[in-house]
Amino acid sequence: EVEIKTPKGEIRQLSSQMRQGIVGRIKRNLYSLKRAKEKGIKVGKLSFKSEVRSIPLKQYGITYKASGDKNRIKIQGIKKKFRVLGLHQVPKNSELAEAQLVKKPSGYYLHVVCYLPKEEVIKEIKKNQTKGPVGIDLGIKYQVTLSNGEKFSWYIPETKRLKKLQRELSRKQRGSKNYQKVRKLIRKEWEYIHNKRRDVLNKAISYLKKFSLIAIQEDSVKSWKEGLFGKQVQNTGIGGITARLKTLATLIPIIFVGRYEPTSQTCSFCGYKQKIPLSERTFRCKNCGREIDRDVNSARNILQVALKALADRIKSALPVDWGEVTPVEWG
């Protein structure tokens, strides 16, 4: 994303292609809601939206143009060019595609989609891969536990300033100028918290790219949030790790282990299965007598299951988003 320095006042001029992009996006959203309703997912009523916070720019060179040497952006329908910050982030050998003009509490941004040659991207990733395969276990106390024993934990709660602003908002008259002013400050504070959480996820994913193969279990993080760990899941954002790894599956070998695989109840040394309560954080095998951290044991089992599935060419040939497969479907 690149930040746009805009003059005072609102942007009211929209070209025909911008309007077509907005209408097309609304149609796609309505179609998605219809498909979700057909599947039995509860869909509420459509609510009024007071403002549009993003405008699609469908085609580079027509709806928008960028000049990296002068740090300027030309948007269709607006005569004056905008000064931008961050065009140096765009790779020189990339091909610019569609973009979105996004309005955030901190200002206006241009979200640009860049295409790079896949061979060069894979070559760069393999160049930085210095470690072997790894299994990942997601948790509450430690958000990420690796099969080699490494653990990562972070917690980014709501700030005191946010709580103070929310108290101020409750005392303001709804719809007044002071109400809108405090509401804008609250949005800006939420953006700050979201950026901190996203930065932590970016650093975690950047570290995981160093491994030659990644195995992770598709845990139901949503059920964790709806259960006893809603605050911990929200303030850590661990559900974003699985989503980010799925987007990287075309570049890095990533294997997703089934949700119901008993990885936390199986000894990673001898394969003996035993029930262990959630409160017990050390796995003590009754068969071989080994003692190991519960999360590390689970991560080791995830890696073993993934390597076993990788050896089977039929199973390893399935797409990433295939989901659970019945024995009949295997046949």
Side-chain angles (χ1 to χ4, degrees), residues 1-3 71 85-92 94 96 114 116:
E1 293 183 356
V2 292
E3 184 179 1
N71 292 330
L85 302 175
L87 276 180
H88 64 279
Q89 303 175 39
V90 180
K92 294 182 180 180
S94 63
L96 296 181
C114 303
L116 289 167

Side-chain angles (χ1 to χ4, degrees), residues 181-246:
K181 184 179 179 180
V182 177
R183 192 180 178 188
K184 185 178 180 181
L185 293 175
I186 290 176
R187 289 179 179 176
K188 196 171 184 179
E189 193 66 19
W190 269 119
E191 183 185 357
Y192 168 75
I193 297 171
H194 173 72
N195 289 340
K196 289 185 69 175
R197 292 174 181 172
R198 188 172 62 175
D199 180 63
V200 173
L201 288 180
N202 289 340
K203 291 176 180 177
I205 296 298
S206 177
Y207 180 76
L208 293 176
K209 285 182 181 179
K210 296 181 179 180
F211 294 92
S212 60
L213 184 142
I214 300 174
I216 185 171
Q217 190 168 15
E218 290 191 287
D219 294 314
S220 179
V221 180
K222 182 180 179 182
S223 62
W224 296 358
K225 186 176 182 180
E226 294 175 352
L228 302 174
F229 309 106
K231 193 173 182 180
Q232 291 88 334
V233 172
Q234 180 180 349
N235 293 336
T236 55
I238 57 176
I241 295 178
T242 305
R244 290 285 299 275
L245 289 177
K246 284 184 178 181

Side-chain angles (χ1 to χ4, degrees), residues 93-278:
N93 58 338
S94 63
E95 180 182 351
L96 296 181
E98 62 180 2
Q100 278 194 356
L101 181 61
V102 183
K103 179 185 177 183
K104 293 185 178 181
S106 59
Y108 290 90
Y109 295 84
L110 190 71
H111 187 272
V112 184
V113 177
C114 303
Y115 286 99
L116 289 167
K118 186 175 180 180
E119 295 77 13
E120 295 185 9
V121 177
I122 296 176
K123 184 179 179 181
E124 185 67 23
I125 292 176
K126 288 185 177 181
K127 181 180 177 182
N128 298 325
Q129 285 179 346
T130 58
K131 301 184 179 183
V134 68
I136 302 175
D137 178 68
L138 302 180
I140 299 299
K141 185 177 180 180
Y142 294 97
Q143 279 64 56
V144 175
T145 302
L146 304 183
S147 56
N148 58 8
E150 293 181 296
K151 293 186 176 184
F152 302 93
S153 177
W154 62 85
Y155 191 78
I156 305 173
E158 300 174 1
T159 59
K160 293 182 180 179
R161 173 178 167 79
L162 177 63
K163 296 178 180 179
K164 181 181 177 181
L165 290 172
Q166 288 173 340
R167 287 195 298 267
E168 289 184 10
L169 185 67
S170 63
R171 293 192 290 265
K172 302 296 181 183
Q173 184 179 356
R174 190 177 183 87
S176 63
K177 290 185 178 180
N178 288 333
Y179 180 89
Q180 298 297 339
K181 184 179 179 180
V182 177
R183 192 180 178 188
K184 185 178 180 181
L185 293 175
I186 290 176
R187 289 179 179 176
K188 196 171 184 179
E189 193 66 19
W190 269 119
E191 183 185 357
Y192 168 75
I193 297 171
H194 173 72
N195 289 340
K196 289 185 69 175
R197 292 174 181 172
R198 188 172 62 175
D199 180 63
V200 173
L201 288 180
N202 289 340
K203 291 176 180 177
I205 296 298
S206 177
Y207 180 76
L208 293 176
K209 285 182 181 179
K210 296 181 179 180
F211 294 92
S212 60
L213 184 142
I214 300 174
I216 185 171
Q217 190 168 15
E218 290 191 287
D219 294 314
S220 179
V221 180
K222 182 180 179 182
S223 62
W224 296 358
K225 186 176 182 180
E226 294 175 352
L228 302 174
F229 309 106
K231 193 173 182 180
Q232 291 88 334
V233 172
Q234 180 180 349
N235 293 336
T236 55
I238 57 176
I241 295 178
T242 305
R244 290 285 299 275
L245 289 177
K246 284 184 178 181
T247 60
L248 291 173
T250 57
L251 302 175
I252 303 175
I254 300 177
I255 301 176
F256 294 88
V257 177
R259 181 188 305 177
Y260 301 105
E261 192 74 28
T263 55
S264 61
Q265 300 178 2
T266 306
C267 179
S268 58
F269 296 98
C270 65
Y272 180 76
K273 294 182 181 180
Q274 63 184 47
K275 290 187 177 181
I276 175 173
L278 187 62

